PDB file of all heavy atoms in Angstrom:
ATOM      1  N   LYS L 846      47.084  23.849  21.931  1.00 40.00           N
ATOM      2  CA  LYS L 846      45.820  23.489  21.309  1.00 40.00           C
ATOM      3  C   LYS L 846      45.340  22.127  21.767  1.00 40.00           C
ATOM      4  O   LYS L 846      44.170  21.795  21.687  1.00 40.00           O
ATOM      5  CB  LYS L 846      45.972  23.507  19.790  1.00 40.00           C
ATOM      6  CG  LYS L 846      46.106  24.906  19.244  1.00 40.00           C
ATOM      7  CD  LYS L 846      46.584  24.882  17.818  1.00 40.00           C
ATOM      8  CE  LYS L 846      46.860  26.309  17.345  1.00 40.00           C
ATOM      9  NZ  LYS L 846      47.719  26.329  16.180  1.00 40.00           N
ATOM     10  N   ARG L 853      35.482  14.611  19.074  1.00 47.00           N
ATOM     11  CA  ARG L 853      35.743  13.830  17.889  1.00 47.00           C
ATOM     12  C   ARG L 853      34.485  13.767  17.046  1.00 47.00           C
ATOM     13  O   ARG L 853      33.379  13.582  17.540  1.00 47.00           O
ATOM     14  CB  ARG L 853      36.164  12.417  18.277  1.00 47.00           C
ATOM     15  CG  ARG L 853      36.658  11.633  17.101  1.00 47.00           C
ATOM     16  CD  ARG L 853      37.084  10.271  17.539  1.00 47.00           C
ATOM     17  NE  ARG L 853      35.926   9.430  17.867  1.00 47.00           N
ATOM     18  CZ  ARG L 853      35.910   8.119  17.663  1.00 47.00           C
ATOM     19  NH1 ARG L 853      36.973   7.529  17.188  1.00 47.00           N
ATOM     20  NH2 ARG L 853      34.866   7.419  17.977  1.00 47.00           N
ATOM     21  N   LYS L 854      34.674  13.894  15.778  1.00 46.00           N
ATOM     22  CA  LYS L 854      33.524  13.792  14.896  1.00 46.00           C
ATOM     23  C   LYS L 854      33.096  12.345  14.789  1.00 46.00           C
ATOM     24  O   LYS L 854      33.897  11.442  14.775  1.00 46.00           O
ATOM     25  CB  LYS L 854      33.878  14.311  13.503  1.00 46.00           C
ATOM     26  CG  LYS L 854      34.309  15.736  13.476  1.00 46.00           C
ATOM     27  CD  LYS L 854      34.670  16.082  12.059  1.00 46.00           C
ATOM     28  CE  LYS L 854      35.329  17.427  11.985  1.00 46.00           C
ATOM     29  NZ  LYS L 854      36.620  17.411  12.618  1.00 46.00           N
ATOM     30  N   TYR L 884      45.883  16.280   5.905  1.00 92.00           N
ATOM     31  CA  TYR L 884      46.280  16.578   7.275  1.00 92.00           C
ATOM     32  C   TYR L 884      46.455  15.321   8.102  1.00 92.00           C
ATOM     33  O   TYR L 884      46.785  15.380   9.285  1.00 92.00           O
ATOM     34  CB  TYR L 884      45.274  17.518   7.951  1.00 92.00           C
ATOM     35  CG  TYR L 884      43.904  16.928   8.164  1.00 92.00           C
ATOM     36  CD1 TYR L 884      43.591  16.209   9.310  1.00 92.00           C
ATOM     37  CD2 TYR L 884      42.923  17.104   7.206  1.00 92.00           C
ATOM     38  CE1 TYR L 884      42.324  15.683   9.508  1.00 92.00           C
ATOM     39  CE2 TYR L 884      41.667  16.586   7.384  1.00 92.00           C
ATOM     40  CZ  TYR L 884      41.368  15.881   8.541  1.00 92.00           C
ATOM     41  OH  TYR L 884      40.117  15.358   8.721  1.00 92.00           O
ATOM     42  N   ARG L 896      43.608   5.307   5.317  1.00 91.00           N
ATOM     43  CA  ARG L 896      42.633   6.337   4.954  1.00 91.00           C
ATOM     44  C   ARG L 896      43.307   7.695   5.037  1.00 91.00           C
ATOM     45  O   ARG L 896      43.971   8.017   6.010  1.00 91.00           O
ATOM     46  CB  ARG L 896      41.438   6.283   5.892  1.00 91.00           C
ATOM     47  CG  ARG L 896      40.415   7.386   5.669  1.00 91.00           C
ATOM     48  CD  ARG L 896      39.253   7.256   6.633  1.00 91.00           C
ATOM     49  NE  ARG L 896      38.538   6.000   6.447  1.00 91.00           N
ATOM     50  CZ  ARG L 896      37.665   5.502   7.314  1.00 91.00           C
ATOM     51  NH1 ARG L 896      37.415   6.152   8.418  1.00 91.00           N
ATOM     52  NH2 ARG L 896      37.065   4.360   7.083  1.00 91.00           N
ATOM     53  N   TYR L 898      43.137  11.792   5.144  1.00 92.00           N
ATOM     54  CA  TYR L 898      42.237  12.848   5.616  1.00 92.00           C
ATOM     55  C   TYR L 898      42.642  14.165   4.958  1.00 92.00           C
ATOM     56  O   TYR L 898      43.793  14.573   5.028  1.00 92.00           O
ATOM     57  CB  TYR L 898      42.310  12.977   7.137  1.00 92.00           C
ATOM     58  CG  TYR L 898      41.885  11.729   7.854  1.00 92.00           C
ATOM     59  CD1 TYR L 898      42.810  10.742   8.178  1.00 92.00           C
ATOM     60  CD2 TYR L 898      40.555  11.516   8.191  1.00 92.00           C
ATOM     61  CE1 TYR L 898      42.421   9.583   8.828  1.00 92.00           C
ATOM     62  CE2 TYR L 898      40.155  10.362   8.850  1.00 92.00           C
ATOM     63  CZ  TYR L 898      41.103   9.395   9.164  1.00 92.00           C
ATOM     64  OH  TYR L 898      40.711   8.254   9.806  1.00 92.00           O
ATOM     65  N   ARG L 900      41.462  18.321   4.090  1.00 88.00           N
ATOM     66  CA  ARG L 900      40.563  19.442   4.352  1.00 88.00           C
ATOM     67  C   ARG L 900      40.877  20.547   3.366  1.00 88.00           C
ATOM     68  O   ARG L 900      41.926  20.550   2.726  1.00 88.00           O
ATOM     69  CB  ARG L 900      40.678  19.926   5.784  1.00 88.00           C
ATOM     70  CG  ARG L 900      42.021  20.465   6.167  1.00 88.00           C
ATOM     71  CD  ARG L 900      41.984  21.001   7.609  1.00 88.00           C
ATOM     72  NE  ARG L 900      43.296  21.036   8.220  1.00 88.00           N
ATOM     73  CZ  ARG L 900      43.571  20.583   9.421  1.00 88.00           C
ATOM     74  NH1 ARG L 900      42.626  20.022  10.128  1.00 88.00           N
ATOM     75  NH2 ARG L 900      44.788  20.658   9.902  1.00 88.00           N
TER      76      ARG L 900
ATOM     77  P    DG Y 340      41.666  -2.219  17.805  1.00 90.69           P
ATOM     78  OP1  DG Y 340      41.241  -3.463  17.156  1.00 90.69           O
ATOM     79  OP2  DG Y 340      43.092  -1.893  17.947  1.00 90.69           O
ATOM     80  O5'  DG Y 340      40.967  -1.004  17.031  1.00 90.69           O
ATOM     81  C5'  DG Y 340      39.541  -0.926  17.021  1.00 90.69           C
ATOM     82  C4'  DG Y 340      39.111   0.436  16.528  1.00 90.69           C
ATOM     83  O4'  DG Y 340      39.351   1.418  17.568  1.00 90.69           O
ATOM     84  C3'  DG Y 340      39.846   0.941  15.285  1.00 90.69           C
ATOM     85  O3'  DG Y 340      38.894   1.441  14.362  1.00 90.69           O
ATOM     86  C2'  DG Y 340      40.759   2.045  15.813  1.00 90.69           C
ATOM     87  C1'  DG Y 340      39.978   2.551  17.012  1.00 90.69           C
ATOM     88  N9   DG Y 340      40.790   3.146  18.063  1.00 90.69           N
ATOM     89  C8   DG Y 340      41.988   2.690  18.543  1.00 90.69           C
ATOM     90  N7   DG Y 340      42.486   3.439  19.490  1.00 90.69           N
ATOM     91  C5   DG Y 340      41.557   4.450  19.645  1.00 90.69           C
ATOM     92  C6   DG Y 340      41.552   5.554  20.523  1.00 90.69           C
ATOM     93  O6   DG Y 340      42.395   5.872  21.377  1.00 90.69           O
ATOM     94  N1   DG Y 340      40.418   6.338  20.344  1.00 90.69           N
ATOM     95  C2   DG Y 340      39.411   6.096  19.445  1.00 90.69           C
ATOM     96  N2   DG Y 340      38.401   6.951  19.422  1.00 90.69           N
ATOM     97  N3   DG Y 340      39.408   5.066  18.615  1.00 90.69           N
ATOM     98  C4   DG Y 340      40.504   4.290  18.770  1.00 90.69           C
ATOM     99  P    DG Y 341      39.327   1.876  12.935  1.00 90.69           P
ATOM    100  OP1  DG Y 341      38.460   1.142  12.007  1.00 90.69           O
ATOM    101  OP2  DG Y 341      40.799   1.814  12.818  1.00 90.69           O
ATOM    102  O5'  DG Y 341      38.893   3.416  12.914  1.00 90.69           O
ATOM    103  C5'  DG Y 341      37.576   3.753  13.325  1.00 90.69           C
ATOM    104  C4'  DG Y 341      37.467   5.233  13.585  1.00 90.69           C
ATOM    105  O4'  DG Y 341      38.272   5.577  14.742  1.00 90.69           O
ATOM    106  C3'  DG Y 341      37.949   6.132  12.444  1.00 90.69           C
ATOM    107  O3'  DG Y 341      37.059   7.226  12.323  1.00 90.69           O
ATOM    108  C2'  DG Y 341      39.341   6.590  12.921  1.00 90.69           C
ATOM    109  C1'  DG Y 341      39.136   6.654  14.420  1.00 90.69           C
ATOM    110  N9   DG Y 341      40.334   6.497  15.229  1.00 90.69           N
ATOM    111  C8   DG Y 341      41.283   5.511  15.116  1.00 90.69           C
ATOM    112  N7   DG Y 341      42.257   5.620  15.981  1.00 90.69           N
ATOM    113  C5   DG Y 341      41.921   6.752  16.716  1.00 90.69           C
ATOM    114  C6   DG Y 341      42.599   7.370  17.797  1.00 90.69           C
ATOM    115  O6   DG Y 341      43.659   7.027  18.348  1.00 90.69           O
ATOM    116  N1   DG Y 341      41.913   8.498  18.248  1.00 90.69           N
ATOM    117  C2   DG Y 341      40.730   8.957  17.718  1.00 90.69           C
ATOM    118  N2   DG Y 341      40.217  10.050  18.274  1.00 90.69           N
ATOM    119  N3   DG Y 341      40.087   8.391  16.713  1.00 90.69           N
ATOM    120  C4   DG Y 341      40.741   7.298  16.259  1.00 90.69           C
ATOM    121  P    DG Y 342      37.159   8.165  11.090  1.00 90.69           P
ATOM    122  OP1  DG Y 342      35.782   8.425  10.644  1.00 90.69           O
ATOM    123  OP2  DG Y 342      38.172   7.655  10.151  1.00 90.69           O
ATOM    124  O5'  DG Y 342      37.745   9.517  11.747  1.00 90.69           O
ATOM    125  C5'  DG Y 342      36.945  10.180  12.709  1.00 90.69           C
ATOM    126  C4'  DG Y 342      37.713  11.347  13.289  1.00 90.69           C
ATOM    127  O4'  DG Y 342      38.805  10.857  14.101  1.00 90.69           O
ATOM    128  C3'  DG Y 342      38.333  12.301  12.252  1.00 90.69           C
ATOM    129  O3'  DG Y 342      38.000  13.634  12.610  1.00 90.69           O
ATOM    130  C2'  DG Y 342      39.829  12.023  12.357  1.00 90.69           C
ATOM    131  C1'  DG Y 342      39.973  11.594  13.805  1.00 90.69           C
ATOM    132  N9   DG Y 342      41.116  10.734  14.083  1.00 90.69           N
ATOM    133  C8   DG Y 342      41.474   9.587  13.411  1.00 90.69           C
ATOM    134  N7   DG Y 342      42.554   9.017  13.893  1.00 90.69           N
ATOM    135  C5   DG Y 342      42.928   9.836  14.944  1.00 90.69           C
ATOM    136  C6   DG Y 342      44.018   9.739  15.848  1.00 90.69           C
ATOM    137  O6   DG Y 342      44.913   8.865  15.893  1.00 90.69           O
ATOM    138  N1   DG Y 342      44.037  10.781  16.770  1.00 90.69           N
ATOM    139  C2   DG Y 342      43.102  11.798  16.817  1.00 90.69           C
ATOM    140  N2   DG Y 342      43.261  12.713  17.766  1.00 90.69           N
ATOM    141  N3   DG Y 342      42.072  11.902  15.982  1.00 90.69           N
ATOM    142  C4   DG Y 342      42.050  10.890  15.076  1.00 90.69           C
ATOM    143  P    DT Y 343      38.448  14.833  11.712  1.00 90.69           P
ATOM    144  OP1  DT Y 343      37.365  15.833  11.765  1.00 90.69           O
ATOM    145  OP2  DT Y 343      38.929  14.308  10.430  1.00 90.69           O
ATOM    146  O5'  DT Y 343      39.701  15.425  12.503  1.00 90.69           O
ATOM    147  C5'  DT Y 343      39.505  15.852  13.840  1.00 90.69           C
ATOM    148  C4'  DT Y 343      40.828  16.260  14.459  1.00 90.69           C
ATOM    149  O4'  DT Y 343      41.669  15.107  14.597  1.00 90.69           O
ATOM    150  C3'  DT Y 343      41.630  17.289  13.658  1.00 90.69           C
ATOM    151  O3'  DT Y 343      41.810  18.443  14.450  1.00 90.69           O
ATOM    152  C2'  DT Y 343      42.939  16.583  13.337  1.00 90.69           C
ATOM    153  C1'  DT Y 343      43.005  15.486  14.385  1.00 90.69           C
ATOM    154  N1   DT Y 343      43.755  14.268  13.983  1.00 90.69           N
ATOM    155  C2   DT Y 343      44.836  13.881  14.725  1.00 90.69           C
ATOM    156  O2   DT Y 343      45.219  14.499  15.714  1.00 90.69           O
ATOM    157  N3   DT Y 343      45.463  12.751  14.277  1.00 90.69           N
ATOM    158  C4   DT Y 343      45.108  11.977  13.188  1.00 90.69           C
ATOM    159  O4   DT Y 343      45.742  10.983  12.881  1.00 90.69           O
ATOM    160  C5   DT Y 343      43.967  12.434  12.451  1.00 90.69           C
ATOM    161  C7   DT Y 343      43.495  11.675  11.253  1.00 90.69           C
ATOM    162  C6   DT Y 343      43.347  13.540  12.881  1.00 90.69           C
ATOM    163  P    DC Y 344      42.564  19.686  13.866  1.00 90.69           P
ATOM    164  OP1  DC Y 344      41.830  20.870  14.347  1.00 90.69           O
ATOM    165  OP2  DC Y 344      42.848  19.505  12.437  1.00 90.69           O
ATOM    166  O5'  DC Y 344      43.958  19.610  14.651  1.00 90.69           O
ATOM    167  C5'  DC Y 344      43.931  19.341  16.049  1.00 90.69           C
ATOM    168  C4'  DC Y 344      45.346  19.188  16.565  1.00 90.69           C
ATOM    169  O4'  DC Y 344      45.865  17.901  16.161  1.00 90.69           O
ATOM    170  C3'  DC Y 344      46.327  20.248  16.055  1.00 90.69           C
ATOM    171  O3'  DC Y 344      47.072  20.759  17.138  1.00 90.69           O
ATOM    172  C2'  DC Y 344      47.192  19.485  15.061  1.00 90.69           C
ATOM    173  C1'  DC Y 344      47.143  18.061  15.584  1.00 90.69           C
ATOM    174  N1   DC Y 344      47.280  17.005  14.542  1.00 90.69           N
ATOM    175  C2   DC Y 344      48.235  16.003  14.687  1.00 90.69           C
ATOM    176  O2   DC Y 344      48.978  16.016  15.666  1.00 90.69           O
ATOM    177  N3   DC Y 344      48.325  15.041  13.736  1.00 90.69           N
ATOM    178  C4   DC Y 344      47.501  15.053  12.694  1.00 90.69           C
ATOM    179  N4   DC Y 344      47.625  14.082  11.779  1.00 90.69           N
ATOM    180  C5   DC Y 344      46.513  16.059  12.524  1.00 90.69           C
ATOM    181  C6   DC Y 344      46.432  17.003  13.458  1.00 90.69           C
ATOM    182  P    DA Y 345      47.777  22.151  17.051  1.00 90.69           P
ATOM    183  OP1  DA Y 345      47.745  22.753  18.402  1.00 90.69           O
ATOM    184  OP2  DA Y 345      47.233  22.878  15.899  1.00 90.69           O
ATOM    185  O5'  DA Y 345      49.292  21.757  16.724  1.00 90.69           O
ATOM    186  C5'  DA Y 345      49.960  20.844  17.570  1.00 90.69           C
ATOM    187  C4'  DA Y 345      51.253  20.369  16.927  1.00 90.69           C
ATOM    188  O4'  DA Y 345      50.961  19.355  15.938  1.00 90.69           O
ATOM    189  C3'  DA Y 345      52.035  21.459  16.195  1.00 90.69           C
ATOM    190  O3'  DA Y 345      53.415  21.235  16.376  1.00 90.69           O
ATOM    191  C2'  DA Y 345      51.655  21.228  14.734  1.00 90.69           C
ATOM    192  C1'  DA Y 345      51.606  19.707  14.729  1.00 90.69           C
ATOM    193  N9   DA Y 345      50.857  19.116  13.629  1.00 90.69           N
ATOM    194  C8   DA Y 345      49.823  19.671  12.922  1.00 90.69           C
ATOM    195  N7   DA Y 345      49.350  18.891  11.984  1.00 90.69           N
ATOM    196  C5   DA Y 345      50.121  17.749  12.074  1.00 90.69           C
ATOM    197  C6   DA Y 345      50.128  16.542  11.364  1.00 90.69           C
ATOM    198  N6   DA Y 345      49.284  16.286  10.360  1.00 90.69           N
ATOM    199  N1   DA Y 345      51.039  15.613  11.720  1.00 90.69           N
ATOM    200  C2   DA Y 345      51.883  15.877  12.724  1.00 90.69           C
ATOM    201  N3   DA Y 345      51.976  16.969  13.475  1.00 90.69           N
ATOM    202  C4   DA Y 345      51.056  17.873  13.098  1.00 90.69           C
ATOM    203  P    DA Y 351      59.776  18.947  -7.189  1.00 90.69           P
ATOM    204  OP1  DA Y 351      58.922  18.126  -8.067  1.00 90.69           O
ATOM    205  OP2  DA Y 351      61.242  18.819  -7.240  1.00 90.69           O
ATOM    206  O5'  DA Y 351      59.405  20.487  -7.405  1.00 90.69           O
ATOM    207  C5'  DA Y 351      58.079  20.910  -7.090  1.00 90.69           C
ATOM    208  C4'  DA Y 351      58.034  22.412  -6.985  1.00 90.69           C
ATOM    209  O4'  DA Y 351      58.619  22.837  -5.729  1.00 90.69           O
ATOM    210  C3'  DA Y 351      58.809  23.149  -8.094  1.00 90.69           C
ATOM    211  O3'  DA Y 351      58.054  24.259  -8.562  1.00 90.69           O
ATOM    212  C2'  DA Y 351      60.082  23.628  -7.387  1.00 90.69           C
ATOM    213  C1'  DA Y 351      59.565  23.860  -5.974  1.00 90.69           C
ATOM    214  N9   DA Y 351      60.594  23.765  -4.952  1.00 90.69           N
ATOM    215  C8   DA Y 351      61.587  22.838  -4.854  1.00 90.69           C
ATOM    216  N7   DA Y 351      62.378  23.008  -3.819  1.00 90.69           N
ATOM    217  C5   DA Y 351      61.869  24.133  -3.191  1.00 90.69           C
ATOM    218  C6   DA Y 351      62.251  24.830  -2.034  1.00 90.69           C
ATOM    219  N6   DA Y 351      63.292  24.475  -1.291  1.00 90.69           N
ATOM    220  N1   DA Y 351      61.520  25.913  -1.688  1.00 90.69           N
ATOM    221  C2   DA Y 351      60.486  26.263  -2.463  1.00 90.69           C
ATOM    222  N3   DA Y 351      60.027  25.684  -3.563  1.00 90.69           N
ATOM    223  C4   DA Y 351      60.770  24.607  -3.883  1.00 90.69           C
TER     224       DA Y 351
END
Side-chain angles (χ1 to χ4, degrees):
Chain L
K846 289 166 186 161
R853 189 179 73 147
K854 300 178 189 68
Y884 66 88
R896 175 180 298 166
Y898 298 90
R900 63 177 157 227

